Amino acid sequence: QVQLVESGGGLVQPGGSLRLSCAASGSIFSRYVMGWYRQAPGKQRELVATVTSGGTTNYVDSVKGRFTISRDNAKNTVYLQMNSLKPEDTAVYYCNAKTTSWVTVSWGQGTQVTVSS
């Protein structure tokens, strides 16, 4: 089993940047497909970005060109660099680990991102 702990959320003005981190422990991090999800109030949780063990990335259309997901297998950490933030990016962001068969094995506790002037 893998445990995930997010950090880096906060309040930022529109157009600003934040970097989220997700530290993993308890299992072999490099095996997993890592992802970031988000859930805004009153909305369903949505997948934002994923990165495979080999470094292949995918993004939801609404964040393409603004967000970058990356991973450091030596540090057991996955990152989400968020630039040009918009109020509609406001949500709780969750880190997620999946097997190579895309079965979720763990969620983080979530970190709040608020984009507001």
Side-chain angles (χ1 to χ4, degrees), residues 3-50:
Q3 291 79 46
L4 305 175
V5 178
E6 302 101 334
S7 61
L11 173 64
V12 63
Q13 292 187 341
S17 298
L18 282 175
R19 188 175 82 156
L20 306 183
S21 299
C22 172
S25 61
S27 188
I28 302 176
F29 173 79
S30 62
R31 288 180 178 175
Y32 297 108
V33 177
M34 299 301 299
W36 288 95
Y37 286 71
R38 67 186 179 186
Q39 188 166 20
K43 294 188 177 181
Q44 290 189 332
R45 192 173 297 189
E46 69 168 348
L47 178 61
V48 175
T50 59

Side-chain angles (χ1 to χ4, degrees), residues 6 20 36-39 46 48 63 66-67 80 82 85-86 88-95 108-115:
E6 302 101 334
L20 306 183
W36 288 95
Y37 286 71
R38 67 186 179 186
Q39 188 166 20
E46 69 168 348
V48 175
V63 308
R66 300 188 298 121
F67 290 11
L80 186 67
M82 305 185 293
L85 282 161
K86 303 176 181 181
E88 51 264 42
D89 295 318
T90 295
V92 178
Y93 283 70
Y94 297 90
C95 183
Q109 83 285 356
T111 185
Q112 176 71 46
V113 172
T114 302
V115 184

